[in-house]
Amino acid sequence: LLAALKETSDVLENSKTTVHALPTIRLFCERPEKWIEPYLIASLSFILPQFAASKGVQKACEDTGKSIIKRSKASSAEMVLEHLYQGMSSPKWQVKQGSATLLALLCKQHTKDVGHCLPDVVKHLIECLADTKPEVRNTALQVFKDVCNDTIANPDVKPIMGFIITAYTDPVGKTTEALNKLVMTTFVSTVDAPTLGLLCPMLRRGMMERKAEFKQKAALVIGNLCKLVVDPRDAMQFIPILKPVLERGVDEIIYDDIRETCETALATLKQVMGAAAEKEEISVSFKQMQERSIEDSSEHQSESYPARW
């Protein structure tokens, strides 16, 4: 069935085959067997391109995509996201729009798991926000809002989230306002990976601005956020984004007060890196102890119960 659907993925005129195949996939979604799920998720690579076909096929694709996502387990969220990212990078705007719509549903279904992947989600949504087609931009904006509302729990960021999302839609005109809102915010709540995933791209842009005052505001916010990271390992994926721009600020900014702000933020970031490395080392050591304990237990059992010939 999947092979037959793949053959039609590049031939949109053959929509009759696709329309008949998709309900069959939806029937598989209703079956309880665990072995089916990987095949259903794999079928997204053939289903998503069909969003560029006729209206009837588009509706069948949306219904089938929804069925697959509802059938998926939380542990499969990242696999589904990879397919949706490919769809959101398609040259065909209907495929982008359909994939973004399914992303919102996936977030509703597996909020926590999508939240951990928010940096990549934000990256692909930002790309869709810059699309030439208004249909893609409007859908991406609504999905952006829905995903952030579902995944961002930080009470300090919630009230200004609208300004941050608007800054992504209009980076040139709205970044300054969003940075000002962040600087005026008193951060007291712990910061998790979804919160960092939402803010880091904009903070990086602030550090890349030509005006030194923007760099100072961005560096100040970075330092404040790093102090409140609940799990240092959550911040590790953002080190490659933030560390280079802070180092550049320290090396290039000529104003002492602004350079000192960058230095302070960089020092705080390095403390988080050290804490994350320490936690990771403890985690690895604990895992190794567990493995050795299991091996010792197995050896003891084999000695206690010799094989019978």
Side-chain angles (χ1 to χ4, degrees):
L1 175 63
L2 296 183
L5 184 56
K6 185 176 181 179
E7 290 177 5
T8 66
S9 63
D10 296 324
V11 188
L12 300 181
E13 293 79 12
N14 193 4
S15 58
K16 186 179 293 186
T17 305
T18 306
V19 169
H20 287 303
L22 295 178
T24 307
I25 293 178
R26 292 200 294 274
L27 287 176
F28 276 111
C29 291
E30 297 175 4
R31 298 187 63 86
E33 291 88 349
K34 293 181 180 179
W35 62 266
I36 295 177
E37 185 181 6
Y39 294 96
L40 295 175
I41 293 174
S43 71
L44 287 170
S45 63
F46 317 136
I47 294 170
L48 296 179
Q50 301 298 322
F51 272 110
S54 63
K55 292 284 185 181
V57 176
Q58 288 177 10
K59 182 65 170 66
C61 287
E62 183 176 354
D63 292 341
T64 307
K66 288 179 178 179
S67 297
I68 292 172
I69 288 173
K70 289 178 180 177
R71 171 68 167 74
S72 67
K73 291 183 172 60
S75 57
S76 303
E78 287 191 44
M79 294 174 59
V80 177
L81 278 172
E82 289 301 321
H83 288 287
L84 297 181
Y85 293 156
Q86 290 181 14
M88 292 166 69
S89 302
S90 170
K92 296 175 180 176
W93 70 267
Q94 300 96 329
V95 180
K96 291 182 180 179
Q97 185 182 34
S99 301
T101 301
L102 292 177
L103 172 57
L105 177 63
L106 180 68
C107 188
K108 291 283 186 187
Q109 185 80 7
H110 305 304
T111 303
K112 184 177 180 181
D113 296 88
V114 174
H116 284 298
C117 303
L118 200 59
D120 286 331
V121 172
V122 168
K123 173 187 171 183
H124 287 86
L125 285 173
I126 289 173
E127 291 174 357
C128 288
L129 287 173
D131 198 82
T132 56
K133 281 285 186 179
E135 293 90 343
V136 176
R137 294 198 302 270
N138 294 336
T139 299
L141 178 58
Q142 186 57 53
V143 172
F144 207 149
K145 292 177 179 178
D146 292 342
V147 168
C148 288
N149 285 328
D150 290 339
T151 59
I152 302 295
N154 188 294
D156 303 325
V157 175
K158 279 274 190 184
I160 60 172
M161 201 157 58
F163 295 97
I164 297 166
I165 294 173
T166 302
Y168 285 126
T169 64
D170 183 9
V172 177
K174 299 296 183 180
T175 297
T176 304
E177 184 179 12
L179 279 174
N180 288 335
K181 293 290 183 182
L182 282 168
V183 169
M184 291 187 293
T185 300
T186 302
F187 290 98
V188 294
S189 302
T190 55
V191 174
D192 55 8
T195 304
L196 290 171
L198 173 64
L199 298 180
C200 278
M202 188 182 62
L203 294 173
R204 180 182 181 278
R205 180 178 175 82
M207 288 298 302
M208 298 293 287
E209 290 284 346
R210 294 182 64 183
K211 291 184 178 180
E213 60 179 300
F214 289 163
K215 299 177 188 291
Q216 185 177 32
K217 291 175 180 178
L220 185 63
V221 174
I222 292 170
N224 291 338
L225 290 174
C226 288
K227 294 175 185 176
L228 296 169
V229 172
V230 60
D231 186 341
R233 289 170 295 183
D234 287 342
M236 287 305 294
Q237 59 184 312
F238 306 102
I239 301 299
I241 299 174
L242 300 177
K243 187 169 178 282
V245 291
L246 286 172
E247 290 175 335
R248 183 177 175 182
V250 171
D251 293 337
E252 297 181 0
I253 294 174
I254 60 174
Y255 303 105
D256 292 341
D257 57 334
I258 299 177
R259 188 174 61 251
E260 288 173 5
T261 303
C262 293
E263 289 173 347
T264 303
L266 182 60
T268 308
L269 188 67
K270 288 180 177 179
Q271 287 177 0
V272 173
M273 291 171 59
E278 185 178 342
K279 271 203 167 188
E280 188 64 27
E281 186 178 345
I282 293 173
S283 177
V284 171
S285 298
F286 182 72
K287 185 176 180 181
Q288 290 173 344
M289 288 174 60
Q290 284 184 315
E291 291 174 350
R292 283 198 295 267
S293 177
I294 293 172
E295 289 175 1
D296 292 343
S297 176
S298 300
E299 290 176 1
H300 177 72
Q301 287 182 5
S302 62
E303 292 173 359
S304 300
Y305 302 101
R308 295 181 181 178
W309 300 91

